Amino acid sequence: MRNFLLAVIFCCLSYFQVAAQYNIAQNNIWAFGYGAGVTFASGSPVAVGTSMSAGEGSSSVCDASGNLLFYSEGKKVWNRTGAVMPSGGSIVSYGTSSSTQSSLIVPVLGTTTQYYLFSMEEAPGSTGYCRLQYCIVDMSLAGGLGDVVASSMGTPVMNWLGEKLASIPGNNCNIWVVTHSKDSAVFRAYSVTAAGIGTPVVSTCGTFTTRGSYGGYVVGELKGSPDRHRLLTSDYNIGGSNGAEVYDFDPSTGIVSNCIVLDSINAMYGAEFSPDNSKVYIQYPSGMFQYDLSAGSAAAIRASRYSVGSTYSYTGIRLGPDSKIYFGSTSGSSLGVINNPNIGGSGCGYVSSAVTLSSGARLSLGMPNMFVTVGGGDTTFTRKDTVACIPAGGSIILPGRTTGATTTSYLWNDGTTAAGHVTTAPGTYWVLVDTGGCHKEIDTIVLTSPIPVSTTHVHDTDVCTYFFPVTLRATPGFTTYHWSSGATTATYSATTAGTYWVWAADSCNNVTTDSFHVRFIIPDTTAGTSNTYTPCIVTAPLALTATAGFTSYRWNTGSTATTINAFTSGTYWVFKTIGCSVTVDTFNVAFIPVPTLNLGADVAFCIGDSIVLS
């Protein structure tokens, strides 16, 4: 049956990576301050009015198309129309208006309508600490405007915390919700998965502890870098002066490590990373400062500090969907901007007032927390270049599974849901592989049927021998062989001189041909050496050594060594070869026995006497 070739090309290779999420559509609309908001729907921020009433932190979220869903400052929840949700008037017992990052929205994984709304609630009394709680907002309630699930309100998470609260996408279909203790260098990272909110991963890392009246880590922002591998804290202490620290963060484990102190003298409030993760910006009382994290050592990073703007603006800082950084202005009626935050020094483009807020709206202190999810950027495209052949009229199975993946479902472009796709026709195919909830892989497969390759490569080989049979070996690596004698093995045993050929084919009918010219070489005895040994010894062996300098030896005893031992009288010969030249050495060996002697009886004689020995 004729075979034809199908080249199978799996295209577009990349690796698993959760993309930065500051620019996803869910972050398109911000609600903050008193009646303030901006929308990035057009690409640049445009002021909009909201019902928000937040002295400091807030949060807001849009759907995947960028349409506003709801917003909160941690105590109240407003729907997209600006009305308080039916059960959203007071979701915590005490206030959140004096909490830097008072609110955080995280999706309930495995659903399409529910969200965790975390509140960093101010604890009762003047204790200067917060407690973390959450409730669930369900957008399927209240006719699609959403409402708080009443039974979820006030679910406790942790006490004795500072005002810092951030979320970071994890590596395992999870989101990390990260908090910080009030007066100790302790981080807690809670893994949010489809199964719920897990127990915290606790890390001790940092230097600011019980400094000032409020503790070392109370006031200030906590931010994750866009690449998810670093954390940043700014710390403002009433009655004290803390500074800022940057740390390493492991999105696989939630562990915080390797603290670098950026400043330990000045009080700071707002903090943010540049989009490329190379710079951080800190809001000092005297203005905005930039640090270059790519400078190298901790000392070099501290030495890189640069004042990008001296305008007093003691507010939060937020990286926008347009890759610019925004902060509050001195008046509170506009937002300032850093236009090129990846650029060091004055090239970053600091502007103290750039976006005028809606009439009557103002920003007090905090900027809204960022929304992150496990989606967006975690789709992997796999490429596997493969050549396959099938018989004419046959079929080929295209593999949909990726090595080592825990696959839950497959979807091919024609609707097939099996792991392998059986096809007989060339064309383009793709399969979407769900490997566990949030991670998907796409294989794109192109099948073509080019003309089979049937070129012949001839390798003429001379084989010289002075004895038969001789083994001829075809080129290895083929699936079928055919010799001129009819044999179908990879090797052939030639018994006579002559020309032999073999063609070998692989599974795709790529053919090569080998030719073997076998010649029988008559040894040149004239060039050899004939030696005669007549040793006067009684016992063997006698060592016989052939002339040196040849590539191979063959004795009439069967030995292929250069030296053999003769144990009996007789003729010994050796064939010595160099290429196709053969010479012979001949050795005639005769062992002569020692005669037995009888000298007669012992005789005594004196000096001067003589005796005849016979």
Side-chain angles (χ1 to χ4, degrees):
M1 179 181 294
R2 181 181 64 86
N3 289 348
F4 67 92
L5 176 68
L6 290 180
V8 183
I9 305 174
F10 296 74
C11 64
C12 194
L13 174 66
S14 71
Y15 55 90
F16 173 71
Q17 181 181 6
V18 178
Q21 296 195 20
Y22 61 86
N23 56 4
I24 60 176
Q26 287 91 332
N27 286 310
N28 265 10
I29 298 176
W30 298 357
F32 53 91
Y34 296 99
V38 291
T39 175
F40 290 85
S42 65
S44 298
V46 176
V48 295
T50 69
S51 299
M52 179 68 80
S53 179
E56 291 196 60
S58 66
S59 60
S60 55
V61 64
C62 299
D63 63 19
S65 299
N67 302 306
L68 181 64
L69 292 178
F70 66 94
Y71 49 90
S72 175
E73 32 67 282
K75 185 175 179 64
K76 290 184 178 181
V77 189
W78 291 268
N79 65 27
R80 63 176 177 267
T81 69
V84 175
M85 290 184 175
S87 297
S90 183
I91 60 175
V92 295
S93 300
Y94 298 94
T96 59
S97 62
S98 185
S99 179
T100 311
Q101 293 174 293
S102 61
S103 178
L104 178 69
I105 301 170
V106 175
V108 177
L109 302 180
T111 75
T112 57
T113 63
Q114 293 185 339
Y115 298 83
Y116 294 109
L117 175 55
F118 290 90
S119 298
M120 192 62 81
E121 180 189 28
E122 303 157 21
S126 300
T127 55
Y129 77 91
C130 295
R131 59 187 183 189
L132 183 64
Q133 302 181 39
Y134 75 85
C135 64
I136 294 176
V137 176
D138 191 336
M139 294 307 300
S140 68
L141 302 177
L145 291 176
D147 195 9
V148 177
V149 177
S151 62
S152 70
M153 285 195 293
T155 304
V157 180
M158 188 65 196
N159 290 333
W160 205 253
L161 298 174
E163 300 176 3
K164 306 176 190 303
L165 182 60
S167 58
I168 301 171
N171 283 351
N172 303 298
C173 294
N174 68 319
I175 297 171
W176 296 104
V177 174
V178 185
T179 66
H180 203 292
S181 292
K182 166 185 180 290
D183 54 7
S184 63
V186 173
F187 288 89
R188 287 177 174 84
Y190 296 84
S191 179
V192 179
T193 67
I197 301 173
T199 57
V201 175
V202 179
S203 303
T204 300
C205 187
T207 63
F208 306 150
T209 53
T210 56
R211 298 170 52 154
S213 60
Y214 264 56
Y217 291 98
V218 176
V219 183
E221 290 189 317
L222 170 65
K223 297 293 180 71
S225 61
D227 68 0
R228 307 172 300 126
H229 288 281
R230 272 182 160 164
L231 291 176
L232 172 67
T233 63
S234 58
D235 296 287
Y236 174 85
N237 205 326
I238 298 175
S241 54
N242 277 353
E245 295 174 337
V246 66
Y247 321 83
D248 289 340
F249 180 75
D250 187 339
S252 292
T253 64
I255 293 175
V256 182
S257 61
N258 190 29
C259 171
I260 296 176
V261 177
L262 300 179
D263 189 304
S264 61
I265 299 175
N266 297 284
M268 304 177 181
Y269 190 90
E272 188 58 283
F273 286 90
S274 64
D276 70 352
N277 315 286
S278 69
K279 311 292 188 303
V280 294
Y281 292 84
I282 307 291
Q283 190 67 278
Y284 281 68
S286 57
M288 187 81 69
F289 283 78
Q290 177 197 82
Y291 291 85
D292 187 353
L293 298 182
S294 64
S297 66
I301 293 173
R302 284 190 290 270
S304 72
R305 187 178 75 173
Y306 181 85
S307 175
V308 299
S310 59
T311 304
Y312 176 82
S313 176
Y314 215 53
T315 68
I317 309 175
R318 172 73 187 272
L319 178 58
D322 57 355
S323 300
K324 299 179 181 181
I325 291 178
Y326 294 88
F327 53 92
S329 65
T330 302
S331 66
S333 60
S334 65
L335 296 181
V337 66
I338 299 174
N339 286 297
N340 306 299
N342 293 336
I343 305 299
S346 61
C348 70
Y350 175 94
V351 179
S352 61
S353 181
V355 182
T356 301
L357 302 179
S358 298
S359 177
R362 67 182 179 89
L363 169 66
S364 176
L365 288 173
M367 295 289 282
N369 240 333
M370 185 179 297
F371 176 88
V372 302
T373 182
V374 294
D378 64 347
T379 300
T380 299
F381 296 88
T382 304
R383 176 189 179 126
K384 301 171 186 173
D385 291 331
T386 307
V387 175
C389 300
I390 61 173
S395 62
I396 188 170
I397 299 178
L398 307 178
R401 189 177 182 88
T402 55
T403 303
T406 303
T407 302
T408 58
S409 66
Y410 303 88
L411 178 63
W412 293 83
N413 56 314
D414 63 355
T416 302
T417 57
H421 190 297
V422 181
T423 183
T424 60
T428 299
Y429 302 82
W430 57 259
V431 58
L432 176 64
V433 184
D434 189 333
T435 60
C438 72
H439 179 51
K440 295 176 174 59
E441 297 183 354
I442 297 176
D443 283 356
T444 300
I445 303 125
V446 179
L447 300 184
T448 61
S449 57
I451 300 173
V453 177
S454 299
T455 56
T456 298
H457 302 282
V458 177
H459 305 283
D460 289 330
T461 305
D462 277 332
V463 179
C464 304
T465 186
Y466 48 85
F467 61 92
F468 286 99
V470 62
T471 300
L472 308 179
R473 301 182 184 277
T475 304
F478 291 86
T479 56
T480 59
Y481 298 89
H482 186 81
W483 291 85
S484 51
S485 64
T488 57
T489 56
T491 61
Y492 178 69
S493 183
T495 57
T496 62
T499 298
Y500 299 82
W501 57 260
V502 59
W503 63 261
D506 63 16
S507 58
C508 294
N509 276 355
N510 297 304
V511 177
T512 187
T513 300
D514 282 355
S515 296
F516 300 87
H517 304 295
V518 179
R519 293 185 292 165
F520 180 70
I521 305 301
I522 300 174
D524 181 5
T525 58
T526 61
T529 301
S530 181
N531 298 316
T532 299
Y533 291 91
T534 309
C536 294
I537 61 174
V538 178
T539 58
L542 173 66
L544 304 180
T545 301
T547 308
F550 291 83
T551 56
S552 65
Y553 301 86
R554 185 180 179 87
W555 295 80
N556 58 326
T557 62
S559 174
T560 57
T562 56
T563 299
I564 65 170
N565 289 319
F567 290 89
T568 61
S569 299
T571 300
Y572 297 84
W573 53 259
V574 59
F575 283 0
K576 305 172 300 181
T577 62
I578 296 181
C580 285
S581 175
V582 181
T583 58
V584 179
D585 279 355
T586 302
F587 301 85
N588 296 308
V589 178
F591 289 102
I592 307 300
V594 176
T596 301
L597 302 178
N598 185 0
L599 302 180
D602 292 339
V603 177
F605 61 98
C606 298
I607 295 175
D609 293 340
S610 64
I611 189 172
V612 178
L613 299 178
S614 173

